[in-house]
Structures are given as C-alpha cells and as structure tokens.
Amino acid sequence: MAESNKMKEMPVNKLMVQMGIPMILSMALQAVYNIVDSAFVGNMKVGSEAALNALTLVFPVQMLMVAVGIGTGVGTNALLARTLGQGNNKKSAKVAGNSLFLGIIIYVVCLVFGIFGVKAYVASQTVDLEVIAMGTSYLRICCVISFGIIFFSLFEKLLQATGRSLYSTIGQVVGAVVNIILDPIMIYGIGPVPEMGVEGAAYATVIGQVASAVLLWIFHVKLNKEFEHGAKYMKPDTGIIKEIYAIGLPAIIAQAFMSIMVYVMNLILKFTPSAQTAYGLFYKVQQFVLFLAFGLRDAITPIIAFAYGMGSKKRIKDGIKYGLIYTAVLMIFGIIITEVFTGAFATLFNAGPSRTYFIGAMRIISISFIFAGINVAYQGIYQALDGGMESLVISLLRQLVLILPLAGIFSVFARNGQMGVSLIWWAFPITEFVSCLVGYVFLKRIRKNKVENLG
C-alpha cells in the first residue's frame, strides 16, 4: 500500500501504532544521548561530581537548540502532511525546501553563540571555576557542531510527514549506537584516543548526531518521492515560512520554556549544588519518559492534520481518542519504571553526594508523568487543528506561570535540608494536574469549533 493511501485509508488505531512505535523509539533514543553522557561522565575517576554539575548547567542550551530544530520540524510536519492530504505536491516541495533553508539560519545562530556566549552563560549559574571550565568546553563543542542535531530534526519530520517513521528511527538508532560506542573511548581514553573527559562526551554526542543527519538526508532524497527535491525549492518563501511557524512556533516556544524552566530551577537550587545536580540528573530521566509521549505526539499530529486536510471528521475524532488512550498507557508504564528502579538510576549515574536528593526527586516528580503526558498529547492535537494559541497557553502554564512561582515559594522552606527541598519537587505534580484540567477545556472547545463544523 502506498504511504499516501495508508494515511487516508488505514484504521486510525492501527496507523497510530504503526507510525507511533518507530517515533517513540526514535525520541527515546534521542533522550539516551544525554543519559549516556551523564552515566559515563558520572563514573570518571577524577572530577565526576563537577562534571555532572557542568552537564546539568549546560543542558538548557542543548534543549533550546533541539527545541528550535524540532519546533521548525513540527511546523513542517503538520503543514507538509496537510498539503499532501490536499494533493498539492508543488507546494509540498516548497515546504520541504524552506524547512532546510530555515535549518541553515538556525545553525548560524547556534554557531555564533557557541563562539561568543557560552562562558558567560555557564558562569551565571555557578562560581565553581572547575565547573565553569568543564561546562564551557562541553557546550562550545555542542554549539559549533550543532548542524547534526538541527538537520536530523528536520529530516526526521519530513520522513514522518509522509508516513516513513521507520526510517527516521533507523537514523536515530545509528546515531545512538555511534554515541554509546564513542563515549567510553573518548571520555576515558581507550587505544590511540587520548583521555578527553567532558570534551570527549561532547565529541561523541555531536558525531552521533551528524551520523544520524547524514543517513536521514539519504533516506529523504531516496524515499520521499511524493514531491520534488532541489536547491530551487530552498528559495525563501515568506508565505510558507509564516505557515510553518504558525504551527511550529508554539512548539518552539513550548520547548524553549522548558529550557527557561530548567535554567531558573538551577538558579533556585543554587544554594545547594548537590540538589542542583540531582535535579539535572532527574530531568534527563524525566525527559526519557516524556519523550515517549513526544514520540506518540509526532504520530498524532500528522495523522490528525492529514485527516483535517481531507475533511474527515471520523478520522480526526479517532486520532484524538486513540492518541489520548495510548499516551495514558505509556505514562503509566513510565511511572512504574521510575518508581521501581529509582535506586538503579542513582547507581547508574554514580550520584554520590546528590543521591539522596535525586531519589527524593524521582519519588515525587514521577507522579506528574500521567498528567504531563496527556498535556503533550493535547498540544499535538491542537497543533494539527491550527490551535497554536491553546498549545502556547498550556506551555506557559506548565513551564512558567505555575511551576516557577510555586518552586520559588517552596524554596523559602528548602534551607532546612532534604525535607525542605522535597517541597520544591511537589511543585511539578501540582502544575501538571492544573494544566491538564485547562487542556481538557481547550480540547472541548477546539472539537466544537473546528471538528464538528467540518462539512
């Protein structure tokens, strides 16, 4: 069956499973990059605690780079799927070409920051000179060679929009394997490769990302035959760029808010570096779980967008129903894993002085996964149905408006040790629950105004 026919005719529940599993695996493997780096760095013979803290402090910028790449890809994904659903292949070629033009612009910005802005950013969060040096070295490498993660994100969404999510997963697997193999070689120094510590972790990461991007570029050129390819389609088209970011900008802002949230949480926890490091380590575990929801969201969005372009009310409703059900199941699985294997994760990272804080964060914050996952699914549904503003509001609530004031208020009591810091962790379940209630109201409104009114 042709990919386009599959998007039109396959039952939505089966289509979501078929498209969703590769995307879930792809996103999970993307989260593995940061977990693997932290696991190997945490077991360095010298300076492991400082190195873990450094990786915690640079993480928001890494997230921001991914946010811009993925957000642009999300806009491209939904617009391309909708355009293909309408049978407009000429516009589809321009959508794909303009997304690659935007990728070049994004890389130039990351390159400039990597050269001039990294040290000042790291120093704003700590006074430890060793941590500043490690963080600066690691982040500079990731920014200067960021074209791998940026173009991987774009080619991944171009393949997903045409229903070829399996190939994006293959590319992600290749990059993850390269990263895992190179991490111990470059961090510890094995064979002819010198010991490079955190710099080795950075080089292993970017080499894996570049490998993924190159492979997905080959898949895109060879397999996406529904529209033409070529440099002429990369000529900037203001109208198409506006359409891409009308959908993708809320996704960029949503993930940018995540970077801001982590950065501000680092500042709130600055009074105890062990709690700061613990939060950074937990966030990588949390990201692994939530990336399962992000992966399924990336199946939900093109399926519903394609159905919206077709004008199929039934397929839209099925996409919403099965998207929410499957997301809830995934998040329950994530809660079980994090609650049962809390100690194992602490041992994996060799958390040391941060262990107690890390376990406390795992026990409390993981409660929020079920609500956080549903919120992610809501946002995928909103984006597919031109509900960018609703998606933006949910992001604001989850990452700024509720979470940071709550954490700031609870931090007043945090100077009393572990019990006090635990109050800060409770800000997360409270925030996600309230945001989930608001998201349900938005979903009912969008269904009424946009789905029920289809001819």
Side-chain angles (χ1 to χ4, degrees):
M1 184 183 294
E3 298 296 334
S4 58
N5 288 338
K6 180 176 74 174
M7 294 288 281
K8 291 178 183 177
E9 299 170 8
M10 181 179 285
V12 170
N13 59 334
K14 293 181 180 179
L15 178 62
M16 194 166 292
V17 170
Q18 188 178 100
M19 290 181 62
I21 289 176
M23 294 179 184
I24 289 166
L25 291 175
S26 178
M27 294 297 287
L29 286 168
Q30 188 168 316
V32 164
Y33 278 119
N34 291 312
I35 291 178
V36 167
D37 279 355
S38 295
F40 282 115
V41 165
N43 287 278
M44 287 167 47
K45 292 180 181 179
V46 179
S48 61
E49 182 71 13
L52 283 174
N53 197 8
L55 264 60
T56 295
L57 301 184
V58 304
F59 194 48
V61 172
Q62 290 180 283
M63 291 169 61
L64 188 59
M65 290 190 294
V66 171
V68 178
I70 289 182
T72 303
V74 165
T76 302
N77 183 336
L79 181 59
L80 182 58
R82 188 184 309 158
T83 306
L84 289 171
Q86 294 167 343
N88 191 342
N89 293 347
K90 183 177 180 180
K91 183 177 179 181
S92 297
K94 290 184 178 181
V95 171
N98 272 254
S99 73
L100 300 181
F101 165 76
L102 293 170
I104 295 172
I105 301 301
I106 294 166
Y107 170 63
V108 170
V109 173
C110 293
L111 176 64
V112 171
F113 177 78
I115 296 171
F116 299 107
V118 167
K119 186 172 182 179
Y121 164 78
V122 177
S124 71
Q125 300 171 85
T126 182
V127 294
D128 188 316
L129 295 180
E130 184 181 17
V131 172
I132 292 173
M134 288 182 172
T136 300
S137 298
Y138 182 94
L139 187 55
R140 180 164 287 137
I141 293 167
C142 290
C143 289
V144 170
I145 315 179
S146 60
F147 55 83
I149 187 59
I150 292 167
F151 283 98
F152 164 77
S153 301
L154 294 175
F155 287 127
E156 178 186 45
K157 301 305 180 192
L158 290 171
L159 288 164
Q160 290 172 358
T162 57
R164 296 181 174 90
S165 54
L166 174 61
Y167 295 95
S168 67
T169 302
I170 293 171
Q172 184 69 67
V173 169
V174 169
V177 170
V178 169
N179 183 29
I180 292 169
I181 291 172
L182 291 180
D183 256 333
I185 294 173
M186 304 185 85
I187 293 172
Y188 306 138
I190 297 176
V193 179
E195 180 179 349
M196 290 186 280
V198 292
E199 289 187 5
Y203 280 120
T205 296
V206 297
I207 291 171
Q209 292 168 348
V210 170
S212 293
V214 170
L215 187 56
L216 290 197
W217 170 69
I218 294 171
F219 288 153
H220 167 66
V221 172
K222 297 293 184 182
L223 299 175
N224 277 346
K225 297 298 186 182
E226 289 82 358
F227 49 87
E228 294 183 22
H229 308 281
K232 65 180 180 180
Y233 295 110
M234 293 177 63
K235 182 180 179 181
D237 184 314
T238 306
I240 287 177
I241 291 173
K242 285 181 179 179
E243 286 189 81
I244 288 174
Y245 282 122
I247 303 167
L249 187 59
I252 293 174
I253 294 173
Q255 296 212 49
F257 287 161
M258 293 170 66
S259 298
I260 295 169
M261 181 189 73
V262 174
Y263 176 73
V264 175
M265 287 296 297
N266 285 337
L267 296 180
I268 290 173
L269 295 167
K270 192 175 180 179
F271 66 91
T272 169
S274 292
Q276 196 179 53
T277 300
Y279 174 66
L281 293 176
F282 170 76
Y283 197 86
K284 294 175 183 181
V285 177
Q286 173 182 264
Q287 193 179 44
F288 179 79
V289 175
L290 291 185
F291 268 27
L292 302 180
F294 285 131
L296 187 57
R297 179 205 64 188
D298 288 345
I300 294 169
T301 300
I303 288 171
I304 296 178
F306 197 101
Y308 192 44
M310 288 173 57
S312 174
K313 188 185 299 186
K314 181 182 185 303
R315 290 182 71 83
I316 293 172
K317 290 182 176 180
D318 284 348
I320 293 171
K321 178 176 73 173
Y322 290 112
L324 293 174
I325 291 172
Y326 294 162
T327 298
V329 171
L330 280 175
M331 292 301 97
I332 291 170
F333 172 74
I335 292 172
I336 292 171
I337 292 296
T338 50
E339 291 288 347
V340 172
F341 296 104
T342 303
F345 279 111
T347 301
L348 172 68
F349 293 125
N350 191 25
S354 306
R355 184 183 180 92
T356 302
Y357 291 107
F358 175 75
I359 290 175
M362 286 275 283
R363 296 288 187 201
I364 296 170
I365 303 178
S366 62
I367 298 169
S368 68
F369 288 163
I370 182 70
F371 306 113
I374 294 297
N375 285 328
V376 170
Y378 282 157
Q379 291 178 284
I381 295 166
Y382 303 156
Q383 289 159 6
L385 299 173
D386 288 332
M389 185 56 65
E390 287 84 354
S391 180
L392 178 59
V393 170
I394 293 298
S395 296
L396 278 167
L397 291 175
R398 295 179 62 217
Q399 275 112 31
L400 289 181
V401 174
L402 294 177
I403 183 68
L404 294 181
L406 279 175
I409 292 168
F410 292 159
S411 71
V412 174
F413 306 97
R415 312 272 172 172
N416 298 324
Q418 171 62 22
M419 288 296 292
V421 172
S422 294
L423 281 174
I424 297 176
W425 308 146
W426 276 107
F428 291 86
I430 294 170
T431 294
E432 295 292 358
F433 176 71
V434 174
S435 300
C436 197
L437 294 178
V438 175
Y440 177 71
V441 174
F442 286 164
L443 180 62
K444 289 185 67 176
R445 187 173 70 184
I446 284 180
R447 286 189 60 158
K448 179 181 177 182
N449 294 339
K450 298 197 174 176
V451 181
E452 299 299 338
N453 290 336
L454 284 175

CSV table of all heavy atoms in Angstrom, one decimal, residues 265-294:
chain,number,residue,atom,x,y,z
A,265,MET,N,15.2,26.9,37.5
A,265,MET,CA,15.3,25.9,38.6
A,265,MET,C,16.8,25.7,39.1
A,265,MET,O,17.0,25.6,40.3
A,265,MET,CB,14.8,24.5,38.2
A,265,MET,CG,13.3,24.5,38.0
A,265,MET,SD,12.4,24.7,39.6
A,265,MET,CE,13.0,23.3,40.5
A,266,ASN,N,17.7,25.8,38.2
A,266,ASN,CA,19.1,25.7,38.6
A,266,ASN,C,19.5,26.9,39.5
A,266,ASN,O,20.3,26.8,40.4
A,266,ASN,CB,20.1,25.7,37.3
A,266,ASN,CG,20.1,24.4,36.6
A,266,ASN,OD1,19.8,23.4,37.2
A,266,ASN,ND2,20.4,24.4,35.4
A,267,LEU,N,18.9,28.1,39.2
A,267,LEU,CA,19.2,29.3,40.0
A,267,LEU,C,18.5,29.1,41.4
A,267,LEU,O,19.1,29.5,42.4
A,267,LEU,CB,18.7,30.5,39.3
A,267,LEU,CG,19.3,30.9,38.0
A,267,LEU,CD1,18.7,32.2,37.4
A,267,LEU,CD2,20.8,31.1,38.2
A,268,ILE,N,17.3,28.6,41.4
A,268,ILE,CA,16.6,28.4,42.6
A,268,ILE,C,17.3,27.4,43.6
A,268,ILE,O,17.4,27.6,44.8
A,268,ILE,CB,15.1,27.8,42.4
A,268,ILE,CG1,14.3,28.9,41.8
A,268,ILE,CG2,14.5,27.3,43.7
A,268,ILE,CD1,12.9,28.5,41.3
A,269,LEU,N,17.9,26.4,42.9
A,269,LEU,CA,18.6,25.3,43.7
A,269,LEU,C,20.1,25.7,43.9
A,269,LEU,O,20.9,24.8,44.4
A,269,LEU,CB,18.5,24.0,43.0
A,269,LEU,CG,17.1,23.4,43.0
A,269,LEU,CD1,17.0,22.3,42.0
A,269,LEU,CD2,16.6,23.0,44.4
A,270,LYS,N,20.5,26.9,43.5
A,270,LYS,CA,21.9,27.2,43.5
A,270,LYS,C,22.5,27.2,44.9
A,270,LYS,O,23.7,27.0,45.1
A,270,LYS,CB,22.1,28.7,43.0
A,270,LYS,CG,23.5,29.1,42.7
A,270,LYS,CD,23.5,30.5,42.0
A,270,LYS,CE,24.9,30.9,41.7
A,270,LYS,NZ,24.9,32.3,41.0
A,271,PHE,N,21.7,27.3,46.0
A,271,PHE,CA,22.2,27.3,47.3
A,271,PHE,C,22.7,25.9,47.7
A,271,PHE,O,23.5,25.8,48.7
A,271,PHE,CB,21.0,27.7,48.3
A,271,PHE,CG,19.9,26.7,48.4
A,271,PHE,CD1,19.9,25.7,49.3
A,271,PHE,CD2,18.8,26.8,47.5
A,271,PHE,CE1,18.8,24.8,49.4
A,271,PHE,CE2,17.8,26.0,47.6
A,271,PHE,CZ,17.8,24.9,48.5
A,272,THR,N,22.4,24.8,47.0
A,272,THR,CA,22.9,23.5,47.3
A,272,THR,C,23.3,22.8,46.0
A,272,THR,O,22.4,22.3,45.3
A,272,THR,CB,22.0,22.7,48.2
A,272,THR,OG1,22.5,21.3,48.2
A,272,THR,CG2,20.6,22.7,47.6
A,273,PRO,N,24.6,22.8,45.6
A,273,PRO,CA,25.0,22.2,44.3
A,273,PRO,C,24.5,20.7,44.2
A,273,PRO,O,24.2,20.3,43.1
A,273,PRO,CB,26.5,22.3,44.3
A,273,PRO,CG,26.8,23.5,45.2
A,273,PRO,CD,25.7,23.5,46.3
A,274,SER,N,24.4,20.0,45.3
A,274,SER,CA,24.0,18.6,45.2
A,274,SER,C,22.6,18.5,44.8
A,274,SER,O,22.2,17.6,44.0
A,274,SER,CB,24.2,17.9,46.6
A,274,SER,OG,25.5,17.8,46.9
A,275,ALA,N,21.7,19.4,45.3
A,275,ALA,CA,20.3,19.3,44.8
A,275,ALA,C,20.2,19.8,43.4
A,275,ALA,O,19.4,19.3,42.6
A,275,ALA,CB,19.4,20.2,45.7
A,276,GLN,N,21.1,20.7,43.0
A,276,GLN,CA,21.1,21.2,41.6
A,276,GLN,C,21.5,20.1,40.7
A,276,GLN,O,20.8,19.9,39.6
A,276,GLN,CB,22.1,22.4,41.5
A,276,GLN,CG,22.1,23.3,40.3
A,276,GLN,CD,23.1,24.4,40.4
A,276,GLN,OE1,24.3,24.1,40.6
A,276,GLN,NE2,22.7,25.6,40.2
A,277,THR,N,22.5,19.4,41.0
A,277,THR,CA,23.0,18.2,40.2
A,277,THR,C,21.9,17.2,40.2
A,277,THR,O,21.6,16.6,39.1
A,277,THR,CB,24.3,17.6,40.8
A,277,THR,OG1,25.3,18.7,40.7
A,277,THR,CG2,24.7,16.5,39.9
A,278,ALA,N,21.3,16.9,41.3
A,278,ALA,CA,20.2,15.9,41.4
A,278,ALA,C,19.1,16.2,40.4
A,278,ALA,O,18.5,15.3,39.8
A,278,ALA,CB,19.7,15.7,42.8
A,279,TYR,N,18.7,17.5,40.4
A,279,TYR,CA,17.6,17.9,39.5
A,279,TYR,C,18.0,17.7,38.1
A,279,TYR,O,17.2,17.2,37.3
A,279,TYR,CB,17.2,19.4,39.8
A,279,TYR,CG,16.2,19.9,38.8
A,279,TYR,CD1,14.9,19.4,38.7
A,279,TYR,CD2,16.6,20.8,37.8
A,279,TYR,CE1,14.0,19.8,37.8
A,279,TYR,CE2,15.6,21.3,36.9
A,279,TYR,CZ,14.3,20.7,36.9
A,279,TYR,OH,13.4,21.2,36.0
A,280,GLY,N,19.2,18.0,37.7
A,280,GLY,CA,19.7,17.8,36.4
A,280,GLY,C,19.7,16.4,35.9
A,280,GLY,O,19.3,16.0,34.8
A,281,LEU,N,20.1,15.5,36.9
A,281,LEU,CA,20.1,14.1,36.6
A,281,LEU,C,18.7,13.6,36.4
A,281,LEU,O,18.3,12.8,35.5
A,281,LEU,CB,20.8,13.3,37.7
A,281,LEU,CG,22.3,13.5,37.8
A,281,LEU,CD1,22.9,12.8,39.0
A,281,LEU,CD2,23.0,13.2,36.5
A,282,PHE,N,17.8,14.0,37.4
A,282,PHE,CA,16.4,13.5,37.3
A,282,PHE,C,15.8,14.0,36.0
A,282,PHE,O,15.0,13.3,35.3
A,282,PHE,CB,15.6,14.0,38.4
A,282,PHE,CG,14.1,13.7,38.2
A,282,PHE,CD1,13.6,12.5,38.3
A,282,PHE,CD2,13.3,14.7,37.8
A,282,PHE,CE1,12.3,12.2,38.1
A,282,PHE,CE2,11.9,14.5,37.5
A,282,PHE,CZ,11.4,13.2,37.6
A,283,TYR,N,16.1,15.2,35.6
A,283,TYR,CA,15.4,15.8,34.4
A,283,TYR,C,15.7,15.0,33.2
A,283,TYR,O,14.9,14.8,32.3
A,283,TYR,CB,15.9,17.2,34.2
A,283,TYR,CG,14.9,18.0,33.2
A,283,TYR,CD1,13.8,18.6,33.7
A,283,TYR,CD2,15.2,18.0,31.9
A,283,TYR,CE1,12.9,19.2,32.8
A,283,TYR,CE2,14.3,18.6,31.0
A,283,TYR,CZ,13.1,19.2,31.5
A,283,TYR,OH,12.3,19.8,30.6
A,284,LYS,N,16.9,14.4,33.1
A,284,LYS,CA,17.2,13.5,32.0
A,284,LYS,C,16.4,12.2,32.0
A,284,LYS,O,16.0,11.7,31.0
A,284,LYS,CB,18.7,13.2,32.0
A,284,LYS,CG,19.5,14.5,31.7
A,284,LYS,CD,21.0,14.4,31.8
A,284,LYS,CE,21.7,15.7,31.6
A,284,LYS,NZ,23.1,15.7,31.6
A,285,VAL,N,16.2,11.7,33.2
A,285,VAL,CA,15.3,10.5,33.3
A,285,VAL,C,13.9,10.9,32.9
A,285,VAL,O,13.2,10.2,32.2
A,285,VAL,CB,15.3,9.9,34.7
A,285,VAL,CG1,14.4,8.7,34.9
A,285,VAL,CG2,16.8,9.5,35.1
A,286,GLN,N,13.4,12.0,33.5
A,286,GLN,CA,12.1,12.5,33.2
A,286,GLN,C,11.9,12.8,31.7
A,286,GLN,O,10.9,12.4,31.1
A,286,GLN,CB,11.8,13.8,33.9
A,286,GLN,CG,10.5,14.5,33.5
A,286,GLN,CD,10.3,15.8,34.2
A,286,GLN,OE1,9.6,15.9,35.2
A,286,GLN,NE2,10.9,16.9,33.7
A,287,GLN,N,12.9,13.3,31.0
A,287,GLN,CA,12.9,13.6,29.6
A,287,GLN,C,12.8,12.3,28.8
A,287,GLN,O,12.0,12.2,27.9
A,287,GLN,CB,14.2,14.3,29.2
A,287,GLN,CG,14.1,14.9,27.8
A,287,GLN,CD,15.3,15.6,27.4
A,287,GLN,OE1,16.4,15.2,27.6
A,287,GLN,NE2,15.2,16.8,26.8
A,288,PHE,N,13.4,11.2,29.3
A,288,PHE,CA,13.3,9.9,28.7
A,288,PHE,C,11.9,9.4,28.7
A,288,PHE,O,11.4,9.0,27.7
A,288,PHE,CB,14.2,8.9,29.4
A,288,PHE,CG,14.2,7.5,28.8
A,288,PHE,CD1,14.9,7.2,27.7
A,288,PHE,CD2,13.4,6.6,29.4
A,288,PHE,CE1,14.8,6.0,27.1
A,288,PHE,CE2,13.3,5.3,28.8
A,288,PHE,CZ,14.1,5.0,27.7
A,289,VAL,N,11.2,9.6,29.8
A,289,VAL,CA,9.8,9.1,29.9
A,289,VAL,C,8.9,10.0,29.1
A,289,VAL,O,8.1,9.5,28.3
A,289,VAL,CB,9.3,9.1,31.4
A,289,VAL,CG1,7.8,8.8,31.5
A,289,VAL,CG2,10.2,8.2,32.2
A,290,LEU,N,9.0,11.3,29.2
A,290,LEU,CA,8.2,12.2,28.5
A,290,LEU,C,8.4,12.2,27.0
A,290,LEU,O,7.5,12.5,26.2
A,290,LEU,CB,8.3,13.7,29.0
A,290,LEU,CG,7.8,13.9,30.4
A,290,LEU,CD1,7.9,15.4,30.7
A,290,LEU,CD2,6.3,13.5,30.5
A,291,PHE,N,9.6,11.8,26.6
A,291,PHE,CA,9.9,11.7,25.1
A,291,PHE,C,9.1,10.5,24.5
A,291,PHE,O,8.9,10.5,23.3
A,291,PHE,CB,11.4,11.5,24.9
A,291,PHE,CG,12.2,12.7,24.7
A,291,PHE,CD1,11.7,13.9,25.2
A,291,PHE,CD2,13.3,12.8,23.9
A,291,PHE,CE1,12.4,15.1,25.0
A,291,PHE,CE2,14.0,13.9,23.7
A,291,PHE,CZ,13.5,15.1,24.2
A,292,LEU,N,8.6,9.6,25.3
A,292,LEU,CA,7.7,8.6,24.8
A,292,LEU,C,6.4,9.3,24.4
A,292,LEU,O,5.9,8.9,23.3
A,292,LEU,CB,7.4,7.5,25.9
A,292,LEU,CG,8.6,6.8,26.5
A,292,LEU,CD1,8.1,5.8,27.6
A,292,LEU,CD2,9.4,6.1,25.4
A,293,ALA,N,5.9,10.2,25.2
A,293,ALA,CA,4.7,11.0,24.9
A,293,ALA,C,5.0,11.9,23.7
A,293,ALA,O,4.2,12.0,22.8
A,293,ALA,CB,4.3,11.8,26.1
A,294,PHE,N,6.2,12.5,23.6
A,294,PHE,CA,6.5,13.3,22.4
A,294,PHE,C,6.6,12.5,21.2
A,294,PHE,O,6.1,12.9,20.1
A,294,PHE,CB,7.9,14.0,22.6
A,294,PHE,CG,7.9,15.1,23.6
A,294,PHE,CD1,8.8,15.2,24.6
A,294,PHE,CD2,7.0,16.1,23.5
A,294,PHE,CE1,8.8,16.3,25.5
A,294,PHE,CE2,6.9,17.2,24.4
A,294,PHE,CZ,7.9,17.3,25.4
